[in-house]
Amino acid sequence: MNNTKNIVVLVSGGGTNLQALIDAQSRGELGNGKITCVVSSKADAYALVRAKESGIKSRTLIRKDYDDIASYSRAMRDILLEEKADLVVYAGFMTILDESVCDAFPNKMINVHPALIPSFCGKGYYGLHVHEEALKKGVKISGATVHFITAECDAGPIILQKSVEVMENDTPETLQKRIMEQAEWKILPKAVQLFCDEKIVVENGKTYIK
Ligand code: GAR
């Protein structure tokens, strides 16, 4: 059996995806991985309460305390190295870090995005805004994507995707809720399990599941 993999989860808000990971862990569904630390970019993120209630160590690294993205990124990289992260998961983490972080953790950082990449992604597409744009465009199907993080925002190799139907009377909030329930909370823990069990191979910018 391989050594257990340390999973560090980065959060900024409500933390429902963190909760999905915690619940999967309690059911024994994170494979060879264990959530060892949660890092929040906001002091008042409810995700921190979820970590505490589950007895998971948490730290905060407040974006506003740093002058620029470069110094914030370096501080985050140092925390991830200190925590001996084998896998870094962005679970509603709303800050784009620079390449100093993904260079230190190549193909070891994953993100959940609330749309079917390459639609409605990239800089400026986060949280409810993604769903507002999807509704504006009138798409009939949206969903979620879990992908590896590279220096380019939302452009790394795709690991898992799941589609979700858009309803005519959807608001950004109802669509967000359906996508979370039907897609994000399922494919994020699944991708973490696959990673921790070393089932994901990356070749030429694509992933293959063993
Ligand atoms: C989720 O929908 C997540 O996919 C999205 O923010 C929400 C966070 O919710 N992330 C992004 O938009 C990143 N680009 P949560 O804090 O309850 O997990």
Side-chain angles (χ1 to χ4, degrees):
M1 190 68 171
N2 298 320
N3 290 338
T4 305
K5 292 199 189 317
N6 297 333
I7 304 167
V8 177
V9 185
L10 308 193
V11 296
S12 300
T16 63
N17 278 289
L18 168 67
Q19 191 65 53
L21 289 170
I22 292 170
D23 294 345
Q25 175 164 281
S26 341
R27 295 192 301 266
E29 288 172 8
L30 290 189
N32 208 20
K34 182 164 191 265
I35 306 167
T36 47
C37 185
V38 170
V39 185
S40 176
S41 62
K42 295 217 176 95
D44 60 353
Y46 188 70
L48 288 169
V49 176
R50 297 181 190 271
K52 188 160 187 230
E53 280 173 355
S54 302
I56 298 169
K57 173 185 178 178
S58 66
R59 302 175 66 156
T60 51
L61 189 69
I62 309 302
R63 174 64 186 89
K64 282 182 290 188
D65 293 348
Y66 292 80
D67 289 341
D68 51 29
I69 280 288
S71 53
Y72 185 74
S73 297
R74 278 196 301 274
M76 183 62 84
R77 182 199 56 198
D78 292 347
I79 284 187
L80 297 174
L81 290 170
E82 223 172 271
E83 293 297 333
K84 298 187 174 18
D86 296 303
L87 172 65
V88 180
V89 180
Y90 283 25
F93 182 65
M94 298 304 188
T95 305
I96 298 173
L97 301 173
D98 72 14
E99 66 282 356
S100 68
V101 187
C102 32
D103 286 353
F105 295 90
N107 291 336
K108 288 183 179 166
M109 300 177 70
I110 68 175
N111 177 44
V112 59
H113 182 76
L116 293 173
I117 289 175
S119 290
F120 309 111
C121 66
K123 207 161 185 282
Y125 285 92
Y126 58 89
L128 266 187
H129 187 57
V130 176
H131 308 297
E132 281 163 12
E133 293 300 315
L135 291 177
K136 244 189 243 170
K137 183 68 192 171
V139 293
K140 307 298 182 195
I141 300 278
S142 191
T145 303
V146 179
H147 63 94
F148 281 112
I149 295 168
T150 56
E152 195 183 338
C153 180
D154 293 336
I158 291 169
I159 303 169
L160 294 175
Q161 293 189 296
K162 193 164 193 295
S163 62
V164 173
E165 213 176 321
V166 179
M167 305 295 182
E168 261 173 25
N169 58 354
D170 262 332
T171 62
E173 289 79 7
T174 60
L175 182 57
Q176 177 183 55
K177 184 167 180 279
R178 188 174 323 106
I179 288 177
M180 282 177 156
E181 287 172 355
Q182 295 184 9
E184 296 184 48
W185 301 344
K186 294 186 160 74
I187 63 174
L188 182 61
K190 183 70 198 167
V192 168
Q193 180 188 48
L194 289 169
F195 179 94
C196 292
D197 286 346
E198 299 183 357
K199 296 264 168 65
I200 308 173
V201 180
V202 186
E203 262 172 41
N204 300 323
K206 292 188 195 175
T207 72
Y208 299 87
I209 311 295
K210 284 199 261 182

